C-alpha cells in the first residue's frame, strides 16, 4: 500500500495513471448528470408547499456539499504537503481551488434564487448564508495568496496555513442551522433517523451529488495534469512526451 502511494506521488506515474481515469470519470459524470436532471426535472413531482421552485435544490444542494467537501480535501492535502513535503499534494490543492470557489458561488447564487420566493428576499445575514460567504472569501483568499508569491514552496506553505486556519469554518457551516435560529431549513438528507424528504426527490438528489463528485474528480485531474506538465516542463519525461 505504501509503495503504491509512493509511486502515485511520482509526477510521471501520476500523469500516466490519471490520463487513464479521466475519460471514464468524465463519461460517468455526464451519465449521472443527465440521469439526475431527468429524474429531478421530469420524474420528481412538484413539492406540495414550494411547487416547482424546489427543483433548484438539485443543483444548489450538491454545489453546497461540494463547496465544503473540496475545502476539507484541500486542507487535508495541504497538511500532507506541510508534513511530508510531497509536491504532488500542492498540485492537487491548487488544482481544486478554482473549482471549489465556483461551487461555492453556485451554491450562494442558487440559494438566493431559491430564497427569493420562499423568504421574500434575495439575501439575509443568516448564519448558514454568512458562513458560506466566508467560505467563498477563503477560497478567493487562497487563490490570491498563492498567485501573489513567486516562490512555489513559500506559496504552498502560506496557502496551506490559510486553509488549515479556515477549516474551522466547515463545521460552523454544517451545524449552523442546528446551533442558531436561522431561516435556512434544517438537515434533511443527513438526518440520522431518516431523511426528511420523499424517495422520489431523494433519489435524483443523490444522483446529482454523485454526478458533481465525478465532475469534480475529472476537472481536478485535468487541472493537475496541466500543473504537473508546467512544473516538470524541463524534465526528461516531459520532453519525451513532446516527441
Amino acid at each position: 500500500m505504501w509503495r503504491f502511494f509512493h509511486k502515485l506521488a511520482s509526477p510521471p506515474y501520476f500523469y500516466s495513471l490519471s490520463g487513464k481515469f479521466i475519460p471514464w470519470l468524465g463519461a460517468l459524470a455526464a451519465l449521472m448528470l443527465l440521469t439526475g436532471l431527468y429524474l429531478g426535472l421530469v420524474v420528481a413531482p412538484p413539492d406540495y408547499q414550494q411547487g416547482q421552485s424546489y427543483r433548484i435544490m438539485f443543483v444548489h444542494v450538491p454545489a453546497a456539499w461540494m463547496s465544503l467537501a473540496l475545502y476539507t480535501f484541500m486542507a487535508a492535502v495541504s497538511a500532507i504537503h506541510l508534513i511530508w513535503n510531497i509536491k504532488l499534494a500542492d498540485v492537487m490543492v491548487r488544482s481544486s481551488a478554482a473549482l471549489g470557489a465556483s461551487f461555492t458561488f453556485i451554491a450562494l447564487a442558487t440559494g438566493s434564487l431559491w430564497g427569493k420566493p420562499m423568504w421574500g428576499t434575495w439575501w439575509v445575514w443568516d448564519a448558514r448564508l454568512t458562513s458560506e460567504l466566508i467560505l467563498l472569501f477563503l477560497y478567493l483568499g487562497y487563490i490570491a495568496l498563492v498567485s501573489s508569491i513567486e516562490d512555489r514552496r513559500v506559496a504552498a506553505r502560506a496557502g496551506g496555513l490559510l486553509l488549515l486556519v479556515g477549516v474551522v469554518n466547515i463545521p460552523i457551516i454544517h451545524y449552523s442551522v442546528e446551533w442558531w435560529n436561522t431561516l435556512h431549513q434544517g438537515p434533511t438528507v443527513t438526518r440520522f433517523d431518516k431523511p426528511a424528504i420523499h424517495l422520489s426527490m431523494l433519489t435524483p438528489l443523490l444522483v446529482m451529488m454523485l454526478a458533481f463528485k465525478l465532475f469534480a474528480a475529472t476537472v481536478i485531474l485535468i487541472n493537475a495534469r496541466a500543473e504537473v506538465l508546467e512544473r516538470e516542463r524541463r524534465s526528461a519525461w516531459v520532453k519525451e512526451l513532446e516527441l
Side-chain angles (χ1 to χ4, degrees), residues 225-243:
R225 280 164 60 87
E227 181 72 15
V228 165
L229 286 180
E230 171 63 23
R231 295 187 181 207
E232 300 287 320
R233 63 185 181 277
R234 294 186 178 85
S235 301
W237 70 271
V238 175
K239 293 180 179 179
E240 289 178 3
L241 294 174
E242 299 173 352
L243 298 178

Side-chain angles (χ1 to χ4, degrees), residues 53-233:
S53 63
Y54 89 98
R55 298 185 192 277
I56 201 169
M57 81 170 182
F58 297 121
V59 174
H60 171 74
V61 174
W65 192 90
M66 288 305 302
S67 71
L68 304 183
L70 282 180
Y71 191 92
T72 304
F73 169 76
M74 290 171 61
V77 177
S78 290
I80 293 174
H81 177 264
L82 290 171
I83 296 170
W84 288 290
N85 195 30
I86 299 176
K87 294 181 180 179
L88 192 59
D90 179 49
V91 169
M92 297 302 291
V93 175
R94 288 190 180 229
S95 301
S96 307
L99 182 63
S102 300
F103 278 130
T104 309
F105 177 79
I106 291 172
L108 289 168
T110 53
S112 294
L113 293 174
W114 195 359
K116 178 60 176 177
M118 295 300 104
W119 302 338
T121 181
W122 298 103
W123 179 267
V124 291
W125 291 104
D126 179 272
R128 172 63 65 85
L129 276 66
T130 304
S131 53
E132 184 75 7
L133 179 62
I134 292 173
L135 182 64
L136 177 61
F137 291 152
L138 285 170
Y139 274 118
L140 297 179
Y142 168 82
I143 294 171
L145 179 62
V146 297
S147 300
S148 64
I149 302 174
E150 294 185 6
D151 191 322
R152 280 201 177 102
R153 292 173 296 180
V154 177
R157 289 194 294 269
L161 290 174
L162 173 62
L163 291 171
L164 291 174
V165 171
V167 79
V168 69
N169 190 46
I170 300 302
I172 293 176
I173 297 173
H174 181 74
Y175 292 107
S176 58
V177 293
E178 300 178 17
W179 291 347
W180 295 287
N181 183 22
T182 69
L183 285 176
H184 197 284
Q185 69 185 62
T188 53
V189 178
T190 58
R191 285 178 55 177
F192 288 107
D193 49 359
K194 65 176 182 177
I197 180 174
H198 193 269
L199 186 62
S200 62
M201 302 175 183
L202 177 61
T203 299
L205 181 59
L206 294 178
V207 172
M208 288 296 290
M209 284 185 173
L210 178 58
F212 274 48
K213 288 181 185 179
L214 292 169
F215 172 77
T218 304
V219 173
I220 290 170
L221 288 180
I222 291 174
N223 291 343
R225 280 164 60 87
E227 181 72 15
V228 165
L229 286 180
E230 171 63 23
R231 295 187 181 207
E232 300 287 320
R233 63 185 181 277

